[in-house]
Amino acid sequence: MSGTKEDDRKSSSEWRDFFWNSRTHEVLGRTATSWGLILLFYLVFYLFLAGMFALTMYIMLLTLDDYKPTWQDQLATPGMMIRPKGDQLEIIYSVSDTESWDSYVQNLNTFLSPYNDSYQVQTNDNCPTDQYFIQEDSGEVRNNPKRSCQFNRTVLEECSGMSDLFYGYSRGQPCILIKMNRVIGMLPGKDGQSPYVSCAAKREDSDKIGPLAYYPPNGTFNLMYYPYYGKKAQVNYTQPLVAVKFLNASLNTDINVECKINSNTLAVGSDRDKFAGRVSFKLRINDK
C-alpha cells in the first residue's frame, strides 16, 4: 500500500512539474523564450499566408472589368421565362372567382410599372427599329453609361393593362408575357430580321389552345434592344417583351403550352435543356 501511495505522489508531482516547473521555469515543457519563438514563427507564417492571399486577390481583381465579364460562356440559345410567374410554371384560375386571378393581375401590374410610357420617355431613347443599337467604346475611353431604347407599355396593346385592366383574365382570354434572358453582347438576328416568339400546345392538347394574338405584332423582339451591355453599363435598359393572348382556349381542361424563340442566328434549343430558347407552362381556365 505504501508503494502505491508513493507512486501516486510521484505521478502527481510529475504532472505539476510538466505544467509548471519551478526549478527550470518551464511551462508545458518549454521556457518563455521557447514559447515566444514558436508564437513568433506562427505569427510570421500566418501573416505571410494572409499577405499571399491578399496579393492573389488583388491581382485577380485587376483582371476584372466592372462593366463586362472577363470570361463569359457563350450560350447557344438564351433561356426564356413568363409573367405572371408563381412557384411553378402554371396559370390556373376560374373566370368567375376574382380571387383566383387577382394575384396574376397584380403581378403583371408590378412587373409592367417600369414600362409605363411616361417613364420610358424620360429615361430612354426613341430608337430606329430593325437595326442594332451599337454603342462602342472609344479605345480606353468608356462610353458609359450607355443609352437604352424605349419599350413602351402601350406596345402590348390589349395586354398592356391599359385598355383592359384585368389583362383578359376576367373574360377567359388571359395574357401571358414572355421575356428572353439577357446575354451580354448577344446579337439575336441578322439582315434586319428580328427574332420572334411562336407558341403552340403540346401534341395532345393541340385542339384545345385556340387562336392566339401576339403583341407587338408578329411577336418580335426588335433588334434595336440589342446588344445588351450589362447592368452597370446600361443602367436604364428595358428588357423587350412579347405578349401572347389566348383568345378562345378550351375551358375546364389542362393545356400544356410551349413558346419558343425563332431566329436566323440563334441555334435551335436542345431537348436536354427545356429552357434553351423555349419555355413550357400549363394553362387551365375554369368557368366556375
Side-chain angles (χ1 to χ4, degrees):
M1 295 293 292
S2 60
T4 302
K5 292 181 179 179
E6 184 176 346
D7 290 341
D8 291 342
R9 286 196 296 272
K10 183 177 180 181
S11 176
S12 177
S13 176
E14 289 176 351
W15 275 105
R16 286 196 300 270
D17 287 344
F18 174 72
F19 283 108
W20 167 245
N21 192 320
S22 59
R23 297 187 303 276
T24 59
H25 300 288
E26 293 180 348
V27 177
L28 299 177
R30 292 184 180 276
T31 63
T33 302
S34 178
W35 278 114
L37 291 174
I38 289 176
L39 292 175
L40 179 62
F41 168 78
Y42 280 106
L43 177 63
V44 172
F45 177 68
Y46 284 115
L47 285 175
F48 173 76
L49 290 181
M52 285 293 294
F53 175 76
L55 179 62
T56 303
M57 291 297 293
Y58 175 72
I59 294 174
M60 184 190 71
L61 291 174
L62 288 178
T63 67
L64 300 181
D65 192 320
D66 288 341
Y67 297 97
K68 183 179 180 181
T70 304
W71 304 105
Q72 181 180 358
D73 291 336
Q74 183 59 52
L75 301 176
T77 308
M80 301 174 70
M81 189 48 64
I82 65 169
R83 292 292 186 275
K85 175 179 171 291
D87 295 333
Q88 297 180 346
L89 294 177
E90 296 180 345
I91 305 295
I92 302 175
Y93 75 98
S94 173
V95 176
S96 59
D97 183 6
T98 305
E99 292 185 359
S100 68
W101 48 263
D102 183 66
S103 60
Y104 297 138
V105 171
Q106 297 305 320
N107 185 294
L108 290 173
N109 283 336
T110 302
F111 179 73
L112 287 175
S113 60
Y115 292 86
N116 288 336
D117 292 21
S118 57
Y119 179 78
Q120 289 293 313
V121 169
Q122 293 176 0
T123 58
N124 292 334
D125 293 2
N126 186 13
C127 304
T129 59
D130 302 325
Q131 63 184 37
Y132 290 125
F133 190 22
I134 305 294
Q135 303 173 76
E136 297 289 354
D137 297 327
S138 301
E140 296 297 323
V141 180
R142 296 279 190 178
N143 181 22
N144 292 326
K146 299 185 187 300
R147 295 172 295 158
S148 301
C149 296
Q150 296 178 19
F151 188 96
N152 294 314
R153 183 171 178 171
T154 49
V155 170
L156 299 176
E157 300 182 32
E158 292 186 27
C159 291
S160 66
M162 310 300 287
S163 58
D164 181 357
L165 299 179
F166 304 123
Y167 302 93
Y169 283 82
S170 62
R171 295 182 284 110
Q173 297 180 328
C175 290
I176 308 294
L177 304 185
I178 299 173
K179 66 186 186 73
M180 188 163 55
N181 293 346
R182 303 179 187 186
V183 178
I184 294 178
M186 181 183 70
L187 301 175
K190 65 180 180 180
D191 300 328
Q193 297 182 24
S194 299
Y196 65 94
V197 172
S198 61
C199 297
K202 297 293 181 67
R203 183 178 303 173
E204 64 275 14
D205 299 326
S206 58
D207 59 337
K208 304 175 184 177
I209 192 170
L212 305 175
Y214 295 92
Y215 309 100
N218 302 319
T220 59
F221 293 114
N222 200 280
L223 295 181
M224 66 181 175
Y225 300 108
Y226 305 97
Y228 171 59
Y229 289 98
K231 189 174 182 179
K232 274 197 169 184
Q234 210 168 1
V235 293
N236 292 325
Y237 181 76
T238 304
Q239 199 165 0
L241 305 171
V242 167
V244 182
K245 188 177 184 66
F246 295 81
L247 299 176
N248 190 25
S250 297
L251 302 178
N252 306 312
T253 184
D254 292 346
I255 306 174
N256 294 294
V257 183
E258 180 181 270
C259 297
K260 63 181 181 179
I261 191 70
N262 300 274
S263 167
N264 55 12
T265 61
L266 300 179
V268 178
S270 169
D271 290 333
R272 296 182 179 180
D273 184 357
K274 63 180 180 180
F275 292 113
R278 66 184 72 177
V279 60
S280 299
F281 58 94
K282 182 171 75 175
L283 174 67
R284 183 184 180 94
I285 308 170
N286 297 318
D287 58 356
K288 295 181 180 179

